[in-house]
Amino acid sequence: MPATIRDVARESGVHISTVSRTFSAPHLVNPDTRTRVLACAEQLGYRPNRAARALITGRTFNVGLIVADIANPFFPPLIKAAESQARQRDYHIFVADSNEDAAVEEDLVRALAKQVDGILLCSPRMSNSLIELLSRDVPLVVVNRQITGLPTVVMDVAQGAGLAIDHLSGLGHRRIGLVAGPRGSWTSKEIRRSAALAARAGGAELTVFGPNPPTEHGGAAVAEQVLRSGVSAVLAYNDLMAIGLIEGLHAQGARVPADISVVGIDDIALSRLIHPKLTTVATPAAAAGRAAVDMLLAHGDDRRTTAHASLQTELVIRDSTGPGPDPHSHADPGNAAAAAPEAVASYAKE
Amino acid sequence: MPATIRDVARESGVHISTVSRTFSAPHLVNPDTRTRVLACAEQLGYRPNRAARALITGRTFNVGLIVADIANPFFPPLIKAAESQARQRDYHIFVADSNEDAAVEEDLVRALAKQVDGILLCSPRMSNSLIELLSRDVPLVVVNRQITGLPTVVMDVAQGAGLAIDHLSGLGHRRIGLVAGPRGSWTSKEIRRSAALAARAGGAELTVFGPNPPTEHGGAAVAEQVLRSGVSAVLAYNDLMAIGLIEGLHAQGARVPADISVVGIDDIALSRLIHPKLTTVATPAAAAGRAAVDMLLAHGDDRRTTAHASLQTELVIRDSTGPGPDPHSHADPGNAAAAAPEAVASYAKE
DNA sequence: AGTTCTGCTGCAAACGTTTGCAGTGAGGAG
DNA sequence: CTCCTCACTGCAAACGTTTGCAGCAGAACT
């Protein structure tokens, strides 16, 4: 029913190849012919069939975008930026949600592979080796994970976590908790690594809780354990967890930041809206989305270019952090000792 | 480079048509042959090329999903549900963001039309007539707008707005404000219509502010005007605006709900996390996403089925609403009179 | 004048599938 | 034994493009 290239050809009295060239290689056709063809096309409402084009050129002008959880407010700005950037280049974006599940993620990559020119893998939960394997089938750009040999875009969350810990130890906190993210997360490992370093440098002790689901609920669930452990400040894997944690702490009767300080990571819109306003590490999600699309598309034909982009993060100090406890009245050491094994146990788990 | 149907045929010693049937009409091929073909396909990593399939069948197994703003937390749950529902039926979803712009929206529909089997138009900003026009090119399901002659899924926000106003007038509020949404929004009109009705029934006066951009910022921007108008309670077009409004009111020194009550619409995750917890009308976004996909896909070949789904909403009373002002000490009537023209003016605008 | 070049256009093969039709052989009915 | 049916499989056309090649006219050289 819709007009095809043949209809336009017939109407404008030229061969279909000329019509084709009018669209895909305008400089090869006589200006007069071109305007005539364009007029007919316009009048017939002709739009090239992308499936047919894809069939022969092998390029679909689509890109896939796989995220762990669309409902996590960290992702929408990234998706939005990627979509807009892609659209500017006449690309469209398939968005898929892996539900934080590595197996689903793999399925999605495989399913999408045939109908896209490349895939943006955001905060993947798969193993590196699987990702490398899949990248042989379809161009991949990995966001929020460093993998040598593949193009990647990461937020320098290690730097950010370091700043956060420095901030806390600077406020006098000597026992700091880290609420880890989900199991497969590279970011979570990075944060832990960097936080541990910074804690040591600042003369503080770091206790790790997790892994946990990276949601508000995941944060709330660990609140009691955090409180029992006797830490006076906590860095959470992301804002959502930090917010959940604060809720949980309030529910347990603790005050933030008077009794315990909390720092998040991401700086989602939400973190300015809760009470207390969240101190957090701002990550440039939109910039990452744009960079990833650029990288995928620049990439072009020469597959083996493996660029790496590392985006700066920034500590945003708001109201959820305050001075550490008075050194003479701090928590019962027995309690503290009890907490240590937990930390070790969860450390070993991942 | 990737395996084609021909490779599988050669490997398993059958004709390509048999391979094709193995996948698209398994009952037509001998079980033995089928298993052999499947084995070869598996081994070669064969996946049918959807573009080629689309070319001949005319079905792409893709659907488009256009929203006004991905970053609006109302949409992600809807998108997530739609994506999941679609994936269950082996469909994939193109997500696009119109930036609240009707012209962009039209472009997106046109661009997507050729490569999807149908489009979900969520909270469109286009005119009804344009939507009807476009629906001749591509099957459309409209979400959050009632259009006769097209399949639609709406949240019964009129009912919800009525409940909200009843709640407020029940609390003794006699002068209620309505912070309207964006210009092209059907939902905003519905809310206004229903709120006006309910206000009259409850013996309250309704003052309309807007239209406004449906964002936190849009809500904050109108705070001062709301305060000056002397209303003691406000219903906002959505939670985001309600939250922005509360921020704005706080900034002006007003307390919520002591000085002024605020009700939102949507019940986004956020509304439970701010302080005070927001009283709001819960809309079933995920259910709407699923219903819309079902409708589009059930639709199938017989184009002219125009189902309508109307999803129940529900008032969730939290902490941002409280009793109305003491009748003897209410706002300066001169002030109130000054506010009325504003309302009328903005009413006429849309 | 002959030759080459240039700018444009047509021809036809190809991309990887699906699908109506025709062909095959085996088994059952008469 | 013959004929019909049935279950399966092969054949080839089609879907709407792109693109290498060839053709053709006229312009610009020699």
Side-chain angles (χ1 to χ4, degrees), chain A residues 277-295:
Chain A
K277 293 191 201 323
L278 190 66
T279 294
T280 186
V281 176
T283 54
R290 278 190 295 271
V293 168
D294 283 349
M295 208 173 268

mmCIF file of all heavy atoms in Angstrom, chain A residues 277-295:
data_model
loop_
_atom_site.group_PDB
_atom_site.id
_atom_site.type_symbol
_atom_site.label_atom_id
_atom_site.label_comp_id
_atom_site.label_asym_id
_atom_site.label_seq_id
_atom_site.Cartn_x
_atom_site.Cartn_y
_atom_site.Cartn_z
ATOM 1 N N LYS A 277 18.736 16.937 52.079
ATOM 2 C CA LYS A 277 19.274 16.883 50.723
ATOM 3 C C LYS A 277 20.556 16.063 50.729
ATOM 4 O O LYS A 277 21.408 16.222 51.600
ATOM 5 C CB LYS A 277 19.579 18.294 50.223
ATOM 6 C CG LYS A 277 18.365 19.185 50.020
ATOM 7 C CD LYS A 277 18.815 20.434 49.270
ATOM 8 C CE LYS A 277 17.921 21.642 49.384
ATOM 9 N NZ LYS A 277 16.500 21.488 49.414
ATOM 10 N N LEU A 278 20.679 15.213 49.728
ATOM 11 C CA LEU A 278 21.741 14.221 49.748
ATOM 12 C C LEU A 278 23.086 14.767 49.263
ATOM 13 O O LEU A 278 23.183 15.364 48.199
ATOM 14 C CB LEU A 278 21.331 13.037 48.874
ATOM 15 C CG LEU A 278 22.180 11.787 48.930
ATOM 16 C CD1 LEU A 278 22.108 11.133 50.300
ATOM 17 C CD2 LEU A 278 21.727 10.802 47.863
ATOM 18 N N THR A 279 24.110 14.541 50.052
ATOM 19 C CA THR A 279 25.475 14.746 49.574
ATOM 20 C C THR A 279 25.809 13.576 48.661
ATOM 21 O O THR A 279 25.556 12.421 49.006
ATOM 22 C CB THR A 279 26.461 14.765 50.752
ATOM 23 O OG1 THR A 279 26.196 15.900 51.568
ATOM 24 C CG2 THR A 279 27.894 14.835 50.239
ATOM 25 N N THR A 280 26.355 13.876 47.492
ATOM 26 C CA THR A 280 26.506 12.793 46.513
ATOM 27 C C THR A 280 27.611 13.096 45.511
ATOM 28 O O THR A 280 28.086 14.230 45.420
ATOM 29 C CB THR A 280 25.169 12.567 45.772
ATOM 30 O OG1 THR A 280 25.277 11.430 44.934
ATOM 31 C CG2 THR A 280 24.814 13.783 44.924
ATOM 32 N N VAL A 281 28.001 12.062 44.794
ATOM 33 C CA VAL A 281 28.998 12.216 43.746
ATOM 34 C C VAL A 281 28.262 12.310 42.409
ATOM 35 O O VAL A 281 27.608 11.350 41.991
ATOM 36 C CB VAL A 281 29.956 11.017 43.726
ATOM 37 C CG1 VAL A 281 30.931 11.141 42.556
ATOM 38 C CG2 VAL A 281 30.697 10.903 45.048
ATOM 39 N N ALA A 282 28.339 13.462 41.772
ATOM 40 C CA ALA A 282 27.603 13.662 40.519
ATOM 41 C C ALA A 282 28.311 12.954 39.370
ATOM 42 O O ALA A 282 29.503 13.135 39.153
ATOM 43 C CB ALA A 282 27.485 15.153 40.216
ATOM 44 N N THR A 283 27.558 12.141 38.658
ATOM 45 C CA THR A 283 28.117 11.462 37.486
ATOM 46 C C THR A 283 27.414 11.997 36.244
ATOM 47 O O THR A 283 26.203 12.173 36.242
ATOM 48 C CB THR A 283 27.891 9.950 37.565
ATOM 49 O OG1 THR A 283 26.505 9.694 37.753
ATOM 50 C CG2 THR A 283 28.666 9.333 38.705
ATOM 51 N N PRO A 284 28.144 12.259 35.189
ATOM 52 C CA PRO A 284 27.582 12.894 33.994
ATOM 53 C C PRO A 284 26.913 11.880 33.080
ATOM 54 O O PRO A 284 27.468 11.486 32.059
ATOM 55 C CB PRO A 284 28.812 13.506 33.320
ATOM 56 C CG PRO A 284 29.940 12.623 33.750
ATOM 57 C CD PRO A 284 29.588 12.051 35.086
ATOM 58 N N ALA A 285 25.715 11.499 33.440
ATOM 59 C CA ALA A 285 25.027 10.434 32.706
ATOM 60 C C ALA A 285 24.725 10.837 31.268
ATOM 61 O O ALA A 285 24.948 10.054 30.333
ATOM 62 C CB ALA A 285 23.750 10.057 33.433
ATOM 63 N N ALA A 286 24.223 12.049 31.095
ATOM 64 C CA ALA A 286 23.869 12.478 29.742
ATOM 65 C C ALA A 286 25.107 12.515 28.858
ATOM 66 O O ALA A 286 25.096 12.031 27.719
ATOM 67 C CB ALA A 286 23.199 13.849 29.783
ATOM 68 N N ALA A 287 26.177 13.051 29.374
ATOM 69 C CA ALA A 287 27.414 13.117 28.593
ATOM 70 C C ALA A 287 27.872 11.719 28.219
ATOM 71 O O ALA A 287 28.359 11.477 27.114
ATOM 72 C CB ALA A 287 28.496 13.829 29.387
ATOM 73 N N ALA A 288 27.696 10.785 29.135
ATOM 74 C CA ALA A 288 28.099 9.407 28.854
ATOM 75 C C ALA A 288 27.264 8.834 27.721
ATOM 76 O O ALA A 288 27.790 8.157 26.827
ATOM 77 C CB ALA A 288 27.949 8.554 30.109
ATOM 78 N N GLY A 289 25.975 9.112 27.725
ATOM 79 C CA GLY A 289 25.105 8.630 26.661
ATOM 80 C C GLY A 289 25.546 9.164 25.312
ATOM 81 O O GLY A 289 25.664 8.420 24.340
ATOM 82 N N ARG A 290 25.810 10.446 25.291
ATOM 83 C CA ARG A 290 26.253 11.041 24.029
ATOM 84 C C ARG A 290 27.585 10.459 23.578
ATOM 85 O O ARG A 290 27.757 10.078 22.415
ATOM 86 C CB ARG A 290 26.389 12.562 24.187
ATOM 87 C CG ARG A 290 25.077 13.304 24.048
ATOM 88 C CD ARG A 290 25.327 14.813 23.976
ATOM 89 N NE ARG A 290 25.900 15.315 25.220
ATOM 90 C CZ ARG A 290 25.168 15.737 26.247
ATOM 91 N NH1 ARG A 290 23.854 15.710 26.173
ATOM 92 N NH2 ARG A 290 25.752 16.177 27.334
ATOM 93 N N ALA A 291 28.513 10.367 24.506
ATOM 94 C CA ALA A 291 29.844 9.862 24.165
ATOM 95 C C ALA A 291 29.760 8.443 23.620
ATOM 96 O O ALA A 291 30.440 8.088 22.661
ATOM 97 C CB ALA A 291 30.743 9.918 25.384
ATOM 98 N N ALA A 292 28.911 7.650 24.237
ATOM 99 C CA ALA A 292 28.806 6.255 23.820
ATOM 100 C C ALA A 292 28.264 6.155 22.397
ATOM 101 O O ALA A 292 28.781 5.393 21.572
ATOM 102 C CB ALA A 292 27.912 5.493 24.786
ATOM 103 N N VAL A 293 27.238 6.952 22.112
ATOM 104 C CA VAL A 293 26.696 6.938 20.751
ATOM 105 C C VAL A 293 27.755 7.398 19.758
ATOM 106 O O VAL A 293 27.974 6.775 18.716
ATOM 107 C CB VAL A 293 25.444 7.834 20.656
ATOM 108 C CG1 VAL A 293 25.055 8.070 19.206
ATOM 109 C CG2 VAL A 293 24.299 7.202 21.410
ATOM 110 N N ASP A 294 28.426 8.475 20.087
ATOM 111 C CA ASP A 294 29.483 8.975 19.200
ATOM 112 C C ASP A 294 30.515 7.897 18.933
ATOM 113 O O ASP A 294 30.945 7.684 17.810
ATOM 114 C CB ASP A 294 30.175 10.177 19.837
ATOM 115 C CG ASP A 294 29.336 11.436 19.709
ATOM 116 O OD1 ASP A 294 28.348 11.404 18.950
ATOM 117 O OD2 ASP A 294 29.662 12.426 20.373
ATOM 118 N N MET A 295 30.890 7.233 19.984
ATOM 119 C CA MET A 295 31.928 6.226 19.870
ATOM 120 C C MET A 295 31.470 5.090 18.966
ATOM 121 O O MET A 295 32.201 4.622 18.098
ATOM 122 C CB MET A 295 32.231 5.692 21.263
ATOM 123 C CG MET A 295 33.635 5.185 21.421
ATOM 124 S SD MET A 295 33.941 4.778 23.142
ATOM 125 C CE MET A 295 34.619 6.326 23.715
#
